[in-house]
Amino acid sequence: MTVMDSRVKGASIFNEIEALLPMVSKPIQYVGGELNAVVKPWESTDVRWAIMYPDAYEVGAPNQGVQILYEVINELPNALAERTYSIWPDLEKLMREAGVPQFTVDAHRSVGDFDLFGLSFSTELGYTNMLTAIDLAGIPVYAKNRTIDHPVVIAGGHAAFNPEPIADFIDAAVIGDGEEAVLKLTELVQQWKNDGQPGGRDGLLLSIATSGVAYVPKFYDVSYLPDGRIQRVVPTNPDVPWRVAKHTLMDLDAWPYPKAPLVPLAETVHERMSVEIFRGCTRGCRFCQAGMITRPVRERSISTVAEMIDNGLCKTGYQEIGLLSLSSADHSEIAEMSKALADRYEGDQTSLSLPSTRVDAFNIDLANELSRNGRRSGLTFAPEGGSERMRNVINKQVTEEDLIRTVSTAYGAGWRQVKLYFMCGLPTETDEDVLQIAALAREVIRAGREAAGTKDIRCTISIGGFIPKPHTPFQWAAQLDHETTDARLRKLKEAIRADKQFGKAIGMRYHDGKPGIVEGLLSRGDRRVGKVIHQAWLDGARFDGWSEHFSYERWMSAAEVALADESVDVDWYTTRERQQTEVLPWDHIDSGLDSEWLWEDWQAAIAETGVGDCRWTPCTDCGVCDQMGTDIQVGPTGITELPMPIVRPSVVN
Amino acid sequence: MARTAPVRDFAPTVQKLRLKYAKRGRLRFSSHRDFQRAFERALRRANVPIAFSTGFSPHPKVSYNNAAPTGTASEAEYIEIGVTVECDPDRIRLALDEALPPGLDIVDAVVSNTPDFAARLEASQWRLEFPGVAHAELSTVVEQFMDQAEVLVERLMKTGIRTFDARSAVVFAEVLDEAATPGDPECAILALVVRHSTPAVRPDDVLAALRRVADLVPPTPVRVTRLAQGPLAPDGQGVGDPFALDRG
């Protein structure tokens, strides 16, 4: 009998883990014990979820999606949810030697003991970490080898909108907002258990697939044309839907999660009280997958936001408030909200930040509210494209005057440092478009010095490589090869360095183009790419989002081996432009976007023409609301007074 | 252009309180920085009228003494805080304990009435559990160690590898006659009293010294707990209560 067999299902294995912790770096990340963590007795529940953010604890613990689902599930009397994160290679090695499985940080139970294992993917670069976790949990890596004793592995998050590259490793994928989906899945598992597990594991998977709550890849067959393109994707069972639709949570005021945010002991990337002030974005930036797949805009009201913050600060002790969304300054009540919150927390050492602010929605009043308590978090704007032409292509309708006015406002209001985010490798881009970034940065410094009345200001430009994403107008576009990307960035760098007058005030941050190619492969890949992921993982790929762990060469050699018998290669997936008639790997995943509309928007991009935002201009017929039966939910509510704060007990004499 | 700190109203410190806390169970893996962040959040959750320093980035007035190393449990860690309104130490203790995660526990609080608190923390009393090491074996090793006048060990510090004596600071060492857990006789327990010095001799250094003098290599990591800190007892076998003077 092996060590693993002797364990009682659901029992804590903390003593086994504890023996290894003194030998690893940052052991605190594996022990749990966060403020507001929930541990329910195993036997008191029927449906047990292990949920994972497949990256290191310091990145995964603050993730809002995981925290929300954790609470939503734990509020159910018949279910429990515990969290697990990626194990760093130092501990992974010790765990393999000692036969210790992937564990949850809440009650340190083996992940293999749970009924459901849900993973939230913000990025495709977490795929290899998923394989490590599945394997460490003692679950077969390929879904087809799993038995009734293994958890149902479910992917979610934005990357799940194209689940095909991981179709062989997951049992199901939830598309869209997870809140209602996890409730439905919990119900299905409970029902299946009550009924005596009819049909075994496949019986459960079939009930999931036919209910439409999630996509179950095993019930779909993919066939290919001789040239490598997909011929068709067909359901293999008459009861499963041809296309699986995304979930859309309506009325965010009815779902004020997280109510008790987790406060980790370990240092993490975001240590603040984050409240999502709205979900969705209809600005229509053509590169932005998040903006396309989360439509329509659904705002949370000023009252709910204020209540969530007050309650959250009481429960966490955080001293920073983050108003999250895809473009926070676009909230219909942002001015009232930021003023009222700044009033309430003035003199309380609590700062307010808007992590995502559009250039054209920022103004002096907002700038002043954000800096009232004296703390200034950094300001980042994302013009994305350096030239006006490029911004028309991507439908980022921000003019140079907008940008200069905005940053001048910020510099004039006392900010000394502004970050600007751009992309390189956008469709139709030339060297000249990218060099315009330098010209823009120079103008920012010139105008900024004037507004600030000092030369002591800086501007950092941060550049990311563009990666075409599924369910966007650019899903058909060719990705720029990494050699050209790197060459353009070099020219830009030289242009900045050559500028004697302003160059020293401009910093430039960028990554080379190689990781983007791997992300591009995983983003727009089909089921054949699964073999590449598996091979790369076998070859040691872990933590691919971390430059110190990522290896382009490892991925390329894995692709060569894994795709040896196929008529396609990495370039075919990445730098190849698709035609309108091509069946895309994610066509059977319904994001609500009308594919005709997407194609027309792609043509409009090439023609450099813009499209409006349906919050302020007439509906552009993207198709989402019709298809999904949803509608825009925006204020203003007209309310400017915040609800009364919670009264807290006093410790003074 | 030189920046000037914004002018804000800062209430002055009117009272100082000394707190004793424990770091228990799995939270012994928290580092000193982890504790600091958790404690500053607890101050806010517990609504403590903490005083702030002035300047660009005001920080709460909290001073920390001799934090136990990461991975080491402790029953006796000490901090001092400044508040802007006079507070009741018992209520502070309860409120902060409630606001901290279980495993970081505030166990005592007094109003600070006397100077030179840090100097009162002369020595630490430690308990080291050696799973898989027999009582007799450890006794022999410890005896050999105590017989030495000096045992040099190395530790990596901020300034590089430093060699220092790990023996002379150890004023008391005894292998106890008890099992760590019932039914687990192969777990010897070592009681130590170590005088605070510069550089501080930590339990890890003593373990390195035991390895050096007698080649002791425990099969699994040694579990370490700081039981007390305070003035060295006259018999040298323990430490006294550092709050005794404040209690008056």
Side-chain angles (χ1 to χ4, degrees):
Chain A
M1 197 165 77
T2 67
V3 185
M4 252 155 136
D5 293 333
S6 68
R7 293 193 186 101
V8 177
K9 224 173 174 174
S12 167
I13 54 167
F14 186 66
N15 55 349
E16 294 176 54
I17 300 158
E18 191 179 24
L20 309 177
L21 292 183
M23 295 173 268
V24 305
S25 73
K26 297 190 197 160
I28 187 68
Q29 66 185 308
Y30 302 113
V31 307
E34 301 90 348
L35 214 54
N36 303 323
V38 176
V39 174
K40 291 170 109 176
W42 187 257
E43 295 302 337
S44 73
T45 58
D46 293 324
V47 183
R48 294 133 184 162
W49 284 82
I51 47 182
M52 176 174 202
Y53 188 88
D55 202 336
Y57 180 88
E58 63 191 86
V59 178
N63 181 262
Q64 288 280 298
V66 167
Q67 292 204 25
I68 290 169
L69 299 185
Y70 178 73
E71 275 190 36
V72 167
I73 297 166
N74 276 323
E75 280 183 1
L76 296 173
N78 63 325
L80 66 78
E82 300 196 6
R83 296 158 298 128
T84 184
Y85 302 95
S86 293
I87 309 276
W88 285 108
D90 63 344
L91 182 57
E92 184 194 336
K93 182 169 174 286
L94 296 174
M95 284 166 65
R96 288 189 186 279
E97 284 165 8
V100 177
Q102 178 84 25
F103 55 86
T104 58
V105 297
D106 299 285
H108 295 93
R109 311 190 215 256
S110 170
V111 166
D113 291 350
F114 288 76
D115 299 304
L116 298 140
F117 180 23
L119 297 105
S120 175
F121 289 101
S122 306
T123 155
E124 297 82 0
L125 294 175
Y127 290 162
T128 51
N129 280 358
M130 165 177 73
L131 296 191
T132 307
I134 291 176
D135 185 54
L136 262 182
I139 304 167
V141 164
Y142 279 98
K144 62 178 182 211
N145 298 330
R146 291 175 200 150
T147 71
I148 198 157
D149 294 326
H150 298 119
V152 172
V153 178
I154 305 183
H158 287 185
F161 275 78
N162 176 20
E164 293 303 276
I166 51 170
D168 291 343
F169 314 120
I170 58 172
D171 295 298
V174 166
I175 317 301
D177 297 333
E179 289 93 337
E180 290 166 313
V182 295
L183 294 179
K184 179 72 186 166
L185 284 163
T186 304
E187 204 182 295
L188 289 173
V189 173
Q190 178 75 64
Q191 190 61 47
W192 175 72
K193 284 192 166 187
N194 289 352
D195 295 348
Q197 306 181 329
R201 194 169 205 275
D202 269 3
L204 175 60
L205 292 178
L206 190 60
S207 84
I208 291 173
T210 53
S211 75
V213 67
Y215 166 63
V216 182
K218 75 172 289 175
F219 296 122
Y220 296 79
D221 251 359
V222 185
S223 53
Y224 301 94
L225 295 165
D227 67 3
R229 286 179 300 154
I230 294 173
Q231 183 177 33
R232 66 173 75 89
V233 181
V234 246
T236 56
N237 181 298
D239 296 328
V240 306
W242 279 83
R243 298 185 79 203
V244 180
K246 73 164 180 179
H247 295 268
T248 311
L249 188 75
M250 299 304 288
D251 192 6
L252 262 60
D253 285 338
W255 297 80
Y257 296 93
K259 296 171 181 169
L262 294 161
V263 187
L265 263 301
E267 198 163 4
T268 60
V269 293
H270 296 304
E271 308 207 334
R272 61 185 173 213
M273 178 56 218
S274 297
V275 174
E276 193 181 10
I277 62 173
F278 64 90
R279 204 172 283 184
C281 180
T282 39
R283 286 283 189 163
C285 302
R286 294 179 174 125
F287 54 84
C288 180
Q289 188 190 39
M292 292 291 161
I293 63 179
T294 61
R295 294 169 173 226
V297 170
R298 291 145 287 155
E299 285 188 356
R300 199 165 253 154
S301 69
I302 182 173
S303 316
T304 309
V305 168
E307 267 170 26
M308 287 177 72
I309 290 171
D310 183 42
N311 168 63
L313 290 177
C314 281
K315 286 189 175 149
T316 62
Y318 281 136
Q319 54 175 6
E320 186 185 336
I321 300 164
L323 302 178
L324 305 192
S325 74
L326 291 171
S327 178
S328 293
D330 281 347
H331 192 287
S332 64
E333 301 174 300
I334 192 65
E336 294 82 358
M337 197 183 284
S338 46
K339 178 175 186 310
L341 291 170
D343 282 348
R344 170 164 289 180
Y345 298 109
E346 183 152 35
D348 197 21
Q349 307 298 328
T350 305
S351 66
L352 195 58
S353 71
L354 264 56
S356 179
T357 316
R358 271 186 71 99
V359 169
D360 42 357
F362 188 86
N363 58 53
I364 184 78
D365 294 336
L366 199 52
N368 286 337
E369 299 303 354
L370 293 180
S371 62
R372 239 163 66 189
N373 53 20
R375 281 169 192 268
R376 292 233 163 100
S377 48
L379 271 186
T380 303
F381 297 108
E384 313 284 1
S387 68
E388 199 87 32
R389 190 190 78 77
M390 215 60 253
R391 290 194 293 273
N392 283 333
V393 169
I394 63 179
N395 199 38
K396 187 94 189 188
Q397 296 170 336
V398 171
T399 62
E400 180 164 339
E401 296 83 76
D402 284 338
L403 177 70
I404 299 304
R405 189 170 49 240
T406 301
V407 294
S408 298
T409 303
Y411 286 124
W415 268 273
R416 289 291 170 268
Q417 163 92 21
V418 167
K419 244 195 266 175
L420 298 176
Y421 185 83
F422 295 93
M423 277 188 295
C424 175
L426 290 160
T428 77
E429 178 187 279
T430 63
D431 286 5
E432 193 43 46
D433 291 309
V434 172
L435 286 172
Q436 281 292 308
I437 296 173
L440 198 57
R442 197 179 306 133
E443 186 55 20
V444 161
I445 294 295
R446 195 202 54 75
R449 285 178 180 172
E450 211 175 279
T454 166
K455 277 193 156 186
D456 182 25
I457 58 163
R458 279 189 65 75
C459 160
T460 303
I461 55 176
S462 181
I463 305 182
F466 165 66
I467 298 157
K469 294 277 177 167
H471 304 282
T472 69
F474 290 165
Q475 63 182 355
W476 291 280
Q479 186 174 351
L480 190 63
D481 62 89
H482 67 87
E483 292 89 348
T484 314
T485 301
D486 292 348
R488 278 194 191 146
L489 292 175
R490 262 198 312 277
K491 282 180 193 158
L492 174 61
K493 200 175 172 125
E494 278 156 24
I496 292 169
R497 201 176 359 208
D499 187 334
K500 292 277 180 295
Q501 200 181 356
F502 300 114
K504 280 208 163 63
I506 302 168
M508 175 171 162
R509 284 194 191 170
Y510 64 98
H511 289 293
D512 70 274
K514 284 177 174 173
I517 291 295
V518 174
E519 199 183 330
L521 170 72
L522 300 176
S523 293
R524 290 195 294 171
D526 51 35
R527 289 192 183 185
R528 293 168 292 190
V529 170
K531 291 189 285 183
V532 182
I533 299 170
H534 189 238
Q535 187 61 47
W537 175 72
L538 288 177
D539 294 345
R542 304 279 189 284
F543 291 93
D544 285 305
W546 298 68
S547 54
E548 61 268 48
H549 290 273
F550 176 82
S551 163
Y552 178 74
E553 289 66 32
R554 176 163 50 213
W555 275 96
M556 290 307 113
S557 74
E560 215 155 285
V561 173
L563 298 176
D565 299 333
E566 306 285 352
S567 56
V568 296
D569 58 13
V570 173
D571 287 348
W572 188 86
Y573 284 107
T574 54
T575 57
R576 180 181 64 98
E577 185 172 336
R578 280 74 159 162
Q579 297 307 308
Q580 188 179 11
T581 51
E582 180 166 342
V583 176
L584 301 173
W586 51 90
D587 276 349
H588 56 299
I589 302 298
D590 186 6
S591 60
L593 294 157
D594 177 40
S595 89
E596 286 289 328
W597 181 85
L598 283 173
W599 180 262
E600 278 165 23
D601 205 37
W602 170 221
Q603 299 310 305
I606 297 166
E608 299 168 22
T609 53
V611 58
D613 186 317
C614 59
R615 280 170 293 181
W616 309 299
T617 63
C619 169
T620 61
D621 290 321
C622 73
V624 172
C625 289
D626 282 348
Q627 180 75 4
M628 298 294 155
T630 54
D631 214 344
I632 309 173
Q633 294 180 329
V634 292
T637 58
I639 296 167
T640 51
E641 294 283 307
L642 303 187
M644 288 297 288
I646 301 165
V647 178
R648 293 190 276 172
S650 168
V651 292
V652 303
N653 279 341
Chain B
M1 188 184 80
R3 292 199 295 167
T4 45
V7 179
R8 289 187 213 111
D9 291 333
F10 278 105
T13 304
V14 301
Q15 184 190 44
K16 284 186 174 178
L17 295 142
R18 288 171 184 158
L19 309 174
K20 177 186 184 185
Y21 74 92
K23 190 170 82 161
R24 293 170 172 152
R26 57 185 173 168
L27 289 204
R28 73 175 190 276
F29 292 107
S30 58
S31 70
H32 178 50
R33 279 169 51 81
D34 296 333
F35 176 78
Q36 274 182 303
R37 285 194 310 275
F39 184 70
E40 288 178 15
R41 285 180 196 134
L43 288 169
R44 296 171 66 88
R45 291 188 73 214
N47 217 6
V48 173
I50 191 78
F52 277 84
S53 66
T54 51
F56 275 109
S57 51
H59 53 271
K61 288 197 170 168
V62 183
S63 49
Y64 301 85
N65 293 290
N66 310 331
T70 307
T72 302
S74 177
E75 288 297 315
E77 301 293 290
Y78 292 92
I79 40 188
E80 198 162 16
I81 64 173
V83 289
T84 59
V85 185
E86 283 204 6
C87 293
D88 172 42
D90 281 337
R91 273 153 78 186
I92 286 264
R93 178 178 61 77
L94 287 171
L96 281 174
D97 188 38
E98 174 67 29
L100 281 163
L104 295 179
D105 305 319
I106 306 285
V107 293
D108 201 355
V110 293
V111 174
S112 153
N113 290 320
T114 54
D116 296 333
F117 180 73
R120 240 174 284 162
L121 303 178
E122 277 180 338
S124 286
Q125 192 180 330
W126 299 95
R127 175 187 167 98
L128 286 71
E129 298 173 8
F130 293 72
V133 178
H135 181 281
E137 184 191 358
L138 187 62
S139 300
T140 316
V141 171
V142 170
E143 221 167 278
Q144 274 175 276
F145 168 73
M146 292 305 280
D147 283 346
Q148 312 283 317
E150 179 186 81
V151 182
L152 295 180
V153 295
E154 289 179 342
R155 195 191 332 144
L156 184 63
M157 303 199 191
K158 277 179 201 145
T159 49
I161 290 190
R162 188 159 164 192
T163 304
F164 58 96
D165 175 28
R167 167 63 190 87
S168 57
V170 178
V171 293
F172 175 77
E174 188 181 65
V175 181
L176 302 180
D177 272 329
E178 57 167 306
T181 42
D184 183 14
E186 291 285 283
C187 180
I189 294 161
L190 173 63
L192 286 178
V193 176
V194 183
R195 188 187 290 113
H196 296 165
S197 55
T198 312
V201 173
R202 299 174 178 175
D204 265 3
D205 302 319
V206 176
L207 291 174
L210 296 183
R211 181 167 191 170
R212 171 146 290 195
V213 295
D215 224 7
L216 177 76
V217 183
T220 60
V222 174
R223 290 194 294 259
V224 180
T225 308
R226 168 139 73 189
L227 296 177
Q229 290 189 76
L232 201 52
D235 65 0
Q237 298 197 2
V239 298
D241 175 12
F243 284 168
L245 289 173
D246 295 295
R247 289 201 178 93

